[in-house]
Amino acid sequence: MTDPQALRSIAIIGGGTAGWMTAAALARVLGKDAITITLVESEEIGTIGVGEATIPPILGFNALLGIDENDFVRATQGTFKLGIEFVDWRRPGTRYFHPFGTYGMDFGAVPFEGLWHRLRQDGGGEPLEAYSICAAAAHADRFTRPVPGGNTPLSHIGYAYHFDAGLYARFLRGHAEAMGVVRREGRVTDVVLRPEDGFIAAVALADGSRIEADLFVDCSGFRGLLIAEALGEGFEDWGHWLPNDRAVAVPSANQGPPTPYTRSTAKPAGWQWRIPLQHRTGNGHVYASAHLSDDEAAATLLAGLDGEALAEPRFLRFRTGRRSAFWSRNCVALGLASGFMEPLESTSIHLVQAGIARLLEMMPTRRFAAADIRRYNRLMIAEYESIRDFIILHFHLTERDDTPYWDHLRTMAVPETLAERMAIYRATGRVFREADDLFSKTSWLAVMHGQGLQAEGHDPLADAMPRDMAAARLARIATVTRSALGHMPRHEEFIARHCRAAVPRR
Ligand code: FAD
């Protein structure tokens, strides 16, 4: 028998990436017979229109929706992403790669990184990137999907996508509407609360109509129309650790085939992204307004483009931090309404996906059990904080001393959780994934090592393997990684063969 208290209606406020991801996923899982899902968006207000790089968990989201990957890449002018190249971050003139996938392999309880540190500390082994198929393929502009199950580096390929954010929202809208989601065009002008408990009863639109629902999902962007303006949830500001609060973005013409990776280049008061798509390249300069004017930021961006700018630079403002609660009463905030961290590791779209997954895991009834809400908030806060620490790491672990911006970041006190991770790495070279951490050992190792943190010792477990055996095993991994590249087509060939998009009309 159906629970008489089961939800009958959900209203999603906002039709940006967050709104349409939520609509598509909820419709797919909940079906359209027992529940109505309505999405309200305002063309007049528009969407943020950036958000072009992703991380591997998005493959799970697409699988949930039953999306064919080639159709998806074609529809969004997408390319494949094997990781991020960081240029000038440790100090000007340096570069390193943060790959998806893994470095080498663990041998039983003996971790790969323990063996690698041990060899490097007595003059052996190869640079870290030699053990990553994703780093090697990115440097060689090659890509293929992982080969399932085989004992080859090709089975360790991890990847995600770059895509056009506007086309992505349109693609998801098509899916959601096909699954029964009802779209309402209109501007929300008022949020009506139930007098008895302060839950949201309805939203009122500018045309005088009202939309009632049992559950509201706030995807209205930075202002948090429901979660903040109507329900009064506060904001925990992380600007003292992550002082960037502006971005300026511009598309540019492709110069040559798109690379299978994002590039992030550190600048005197921020950093610049380069995201290659099939039809153009997305670029943006993220910076701290306390250290740089908008005009200077735009000039730096335009001077750092590979190809001709295709539009006027567009300025965006943001505040880094999170809502004090993501789920309050009968309202769950997703996307920019829930908080924001700069796009250095492309985590925002992932946080939308994580929120949807947890909401599905704790799908409420109209009783809205307080324990479900508490658990949701606790898990999402942990996820936000672990990503926050990982992003801070990039800025703090630097040798750059060329501007007051970098001096501040290099010398600031960091969260206790991050300080502990760095201390453990410094002493033993150990990296670890804690509880539900998004970022794996590979990610922590790539960035700690890449930014110049020196491990003074190594994991004692590595001494369990004779030194010659350790050297031979790692040498073998590096050799098979290099030879696996021969089985990978060039990135542009892979796209041409499987998912070439139509040339857009100008
Ligand atoms: P929005 O796109 O702002 O959508 C808000 C929606 O709410 C719109 O449809 C709007 O019309 C509607 N709305 C607002 N008010 C009302 C109202 N009163 N009535 C009706 N409708 C209303 N993420 C990544 O994962 N990777 C990246 O590379 C990345 N790069 C980024 C770069 C920058 C500079 C910034 C700022 C963000 C970046 N992000 C990135 C984040 C990403 O853009 C967002 O997480 C994502 O687009 C989700 O946005 P949203 O849907 O929450 O908000």
Side-chain angles (χ1 to χ4, degrees):
M1 196 183 97
T2 312
D3 184 340
Q5 289 295 317
L7 295 182
R8 294 159 308 194
S9 53
I10 299 176
I12 299 164
I13 311 305
T17 309
W20 284 114
M21 284 177 75
T22 309
L26 295 187
R28 173 84 176 180
V29 175
L30 303 176
K32 57 183 171 188
D33 296 335
I35 198 158
T36 59
I37 301 176
T38 308
L39 182 145
V40 188
E41 67 176 319
S42 160
E43 269 173 25
E44 175 194 331
I45 295 174
T47 66
I48 189 153
V50 281
E52 304 196 317
T54 58
I55 52 178
I58 193 169
L59 271 69
F61 186 74
N62 284 355
L64 172 78
L65 296 190
I67 286 174
D68 175 88
E69 185 174 82
N70 290 335
D71 289 348
F72 162 76
V73 172
R74 224 178 271 121
T76 59
Q77 294 283 347
T79 62
F80 295 92
K81 172 180 170 187
L82 293 164
I84 306 177
E85 182 183 42
F86 286 93
V87 179
D88 296 342
W89 276 83
R90 179 173 175 183
R91 57 174 183 274
T94 59
R95 53 181 71 214
Y96 70 92
F97 197 78
H98 169 194
F100 297 141
T102 55
Y103 287 116
M105 58 190 288
D106 295 339
F107 295 91
V110 181
F112 165 83
E113 62 278 7
L115 297 174
W116 179 72
H117 281 303
R118 181 180 163 202
L119 292 180
R120 293 305 271 175
Q121 282 157 10
D122 66 12
E126 295 192 39
L128 196 48
E129 291 177 9
Y131 305 100
S132 157
I133 184 70
C134 289
H139 291 317
D141 278 329
R142 291 185 179 268
F143 178 76
T144 194
R145 296 186 177 115
V147 176
N151 185 20
T152 146
L154 296 174
S155 62
H156 298 298
I157 295 170
Y159 70 98
Y161 315 103
H162 304 118
F163 51 60
D164 179 314
L167 296 178
Y168 183 52
R170 199 180 303 164
F171 180 80
L172 291 175
R173 175 178 163 185
H175 262 261
E177 288 185 321
M179 287 184 287
V181 172
V182 177
R183 176 185 180 275
R184 287 282 303 271
E185 168 63 34
R187 194 162 50 84
V188 173
T189 49
D190 195 18
V191 180
V192 185
L193 301 185
R194 294 196 311 227
E196 66 274 21
D197 55 10
F199 277 46
I200 300 174
V203 291
L205 304 190
D207 65 4
S209 61
R210 275 164 67 110
I211 295 172
E212 296 180 356
D214 296 328
L215 172 70
F216 288 81
V217 187
D218 186 351
C219 297
S220 64
F222 283 126
R223 62 190 279 208
L225 199 60
L226 276 52
I227 194 83
E229 292 183 13
L231 298 182
E233 286 301 336
F235 191 84
E236 190 175 307
D237 195 306
W238 292 337
H240 51 297
W241 288 313
L242 295 168
N244 292 337
D245 57 358
R246 298 271 204 284
V248 52
V250 75
S252 66
N254 281 348
Q255 298 294 301
T259 56
Y261 57 90
T262 306
R263 176 175 294 152
S264 163
T265 306
K267 297 287 174 187
W271 60 279
Q272 185 161 332
W273 78 73
R274 188 198 68 168
I275 298 180
L277 306 179
Q278 291 192 37
H279 62 325
R280 61 166 172 78
T281 299
N283 309 274
H285 183 188
V286 178
Y287 57 100
S289 60
H291 294 265
L292 199 70
S293 72
D294 291 348
D295 288 348
E296 289 169 310
T300 303
L301 173 69
L302 294 172
L305 300 183
D306 291 348
E308 171 210 353
L310 298 176
E312 285 300 309
R314 198 157 68 86
F315 290 91
L316 301 133
R317 292 169 172 232
F318 55 83
R319 193 173 163 203
T320 296
R322 66 166 178 85
R323 289 280 167 230
S324 46
F326 302 109
W327 182 342
S328 173
R329 292 170 247 186
N330 61 338
C331 172
V332 176
L334 292 172
L336 301 173
S338 68
F340 183 65
M341 283 176 275
E342 57 187 274
L344 186 59
E345 285 285 352
S346 328
T347 42
S348 289
I349 291 173
H350 169 77
L351 280 167
V352 176
Q353 177 186 341
I356 294 169
R358 298 232 160 87
L359 175 59
L360 287 170
E361 204 178 287
M362 276 164 279
M363 188 43 72
T365 64
R366 278 177 284 141
R367 293 182 198 93
F368 286 97
D372 283 346
I373 297 177
R374 264 198 311 276
R375 178 161 189 269
Y376 180 93
N377 283 325
R378 190 178 67 243
L379 295 178
M380 287 305 291
I381 288 171
E383 178 119 32
Y384 257 79
E385 288 181 350
S386 109
I387 293 174
R388 175 201 67 194
D389 284 4
F390 188 56
I391 294 177
I392 294 173
L393 180 75
H394 299 65
F395 290 99
H396 179 62
L397 261 188
T398 180
E399 294 162 17
R400 286 191 75 131
D401 58 2
D402 48 322
T403 58
Y405 171 86
W406 288 106
D407 280 341
H408 163 70
L409 289 161
R410 201 185 64 252
T411 56
M412 71 183 172
V414 297
E416 200 46 47
T417 37
L418 177 58
E420 184 184 270
R421 273 189 195 269
M422 291 186 335
I424 291 172
Y425 183 86
R426 193 175 285 113
T428 61
R430 267 197 204 113
V431 282
F432 49 90
R433 185 177 220 155
E434 200 142 85
D436 285 341
D437 275 352
L438 169 63
F439 288 103
S440 64
K441 291 201 308 174
T442 303
S443 296
W444 287 97
L445 180 58
V447 177
M448 294 223 199
H449 177 70
Q451 296 279 149
L453 186 60
Q454 297 296 332
E456 287 157 10
H458 58 261
D459 191 325
L461 290 183
D463 294 328
M465 190 182 287
R467 198 226 177 254
D468 288 351
M469 184 189 284
R473 286 192 164 170
L474 264 59
R476 168 107 189 112
I477 292 174
T479 304
V480 295
T481 300
R482 277 188 283 273
S483 66
L485 282 184
H487 299 279
M488 298 177 77
R490 297 187 67 77
H491 182 221
E492 76 264 27
E493 283 165 15
F494 186 91
I495 291 175
R497 204 177 303 156
H498 300 282
C499 44
R500 163 81 75 225
V503 177
R505 279 188 297 244
R506 293 262 161 97

